[in-house]
Amino acid sequence: MQGCAQNCLKFILVFLNLLIFLCGVGLIVTGTFLALGFTDWIRIEDVANLLQNDLLRVGAYVIIAAGCFVVIVSGFGCGGACCENKCMLGVYFVLLLLIFCAQLAAGILAAIYSAEIKDFVTNEGVDFLKNNYNNTQNATGSVDSYANELGTAAWNAIQEQLDCCGVNGIQDYQENPYVNSAEILSCTSSDGSPREGCQQPLESLLEMYSTVIGATAIGVACLELFCMVFAVCLCRNVGQDD
């Protein structure tokens, strides 16, 4: 009976680790989409330049690295379960616990930061469009000039992709001395009507990114909890038949 329970624990742990492996692959794919901006996805680098956030600049690569680490850990778990190796199961448990704690910390930080995004887009975004957008003509290689260049390129990419203009609309550019009338007219659609502001579609885009990343992280975290429980149970049962 004891051997049957042990085999059952082993099977469940292997199955859960296969799911974790798939989630790791999902993280790698998600990070790749964020980094390269396939189809309707905007590169996270452009969003980082727009929000002037250094953490976001490496966000996609952190997700890819986390996915690779999860894949490796899932292989460790499968190996420990199949070989019934207490040492491997112990290391596997510690690695899972570290990943889980890191995900928890990242989730808390993401929740805090997401609350600040709307305020940034509404205030700092409008201020950038009025004072710094396209202000690269007299660039001297300073940090501010380079930041303006990156921010301008980011706003251009996002406005083109989301088919919108500024934060609130064309009025965000009207006080900017570095924008000519032709560039302001580019904020009008083909029928001559002004394009809507980017605030709502940009917030929706960031919410979509957060949902995709958050749902993947929560799914992986739940599987990790189950795996830790079954790893401990299997580790305790290994060798009891001897």
Side-chain angles (χ1 to χ4, degrees), residues 17-242:
N17 275 285
L18 289 176
L19 292 181
I20 286 184
F21 172 83
L22 294 176
C23 288
V25 173
L27 284 172
I28 295 172
V29 172
T30 300
T32 302
F33 268 74
L34 287 171
L36 301 181
F38 291 127
T39 61
D40 292 334
W41 291 60
I42 294 176
R43 293 189 316 142
I44 200 169
E45 176 75 17
D46 291 329
V47 178
N49 290 334
L50 185 146
L51 297 178
Q52 299 176 15
N53 185 281
D54 292 329
L55 185 60
L56 278 178
R57 286 191 174 91
V58 297
Y61 306 104
V62 170
I63 293 171
I64 294 173
C68 294
F69 189 61
V70 167
V71 167
I72 294 172
V73 172
S74 67
F76 219 93
C78 286
C82 292
C83 299
E84 298 184 7
N85 187 304
K86 283 189 175 184
C87 181
M88 287 184 69
L89 288 171
V91 173
Y92 168 71
F93 177 85
V94 172
L95 291 175
L96 271 186
L97 184 61
L98 290 175
I99 296 174
F100 181 80
C101 292
Q103 286 174 336
L104 184 63
I108 294 173
L109 290 174
I112 295 173
Y113 179 69
S114 62
E116 300 176 357
I117 289 179
K118 183 175 182 179
D119 180 67
F120 183 94
V121 172
T122 303
N123 298 313
E124 281 82 352
V126 173
D127 182 70
F128 177 85
L129 293 174
K130 286 183 177 180
N131 301 298
N132 299 317
Y133 178 88
N134 218 32
N135 183 11
T136 58
Q137 297 162 348
N138 298 319
T140 60
S142 66
V143 175
D144 288 341
S145 298
Y146 183 62
N148 290 345
E149 184 178 352
L150 290 177
T152 299
W155 270 108
N156 289 339
I158 286 172
Q159 289 178 144
E160 180 180 355
Q161 187 73 22
L162 299 180
D163 195 26
C164 57
C165 175
V167 176
N168 304 297
I170 193 172
Q171 62 269 27
D172 292 338
Y173 289 100
Q174 290 175 343
E175 297 178 20
N176 188 328
Y178 305 102
V179 179
N180 59 42
S181 58
E183 288 170 317
I184 295 178
L185 288 175
S186 68
C187 275
T188 59
S189 59
S190 57
D191 61 1
S193 60
R195 291 179 178 176
E196 295 182 356
C198 295
Q199 181 170 352
Q200 186 58 48
L202 183 56
E203 288 177 3
S204 299
L205 174 73
L206 295 173
E207 183 178 349
M208 185 266 288
Y209 282 1
S210 300
T211 300
V212 170
I213 296 171
T216 305
I218 290 173
V220 174
C222 291
L223 287 173
E224 287 166 356
L225 280 176
F226 282 114
C227 284
M228 284 189 283
V229 171
F230 283 108
V232 170
C233 294
L234 181 58
C235 195
R236 292 180 60 186
N237 280 277
V238 168
Q240 288 192 7
D241 288 340
D242 298 336

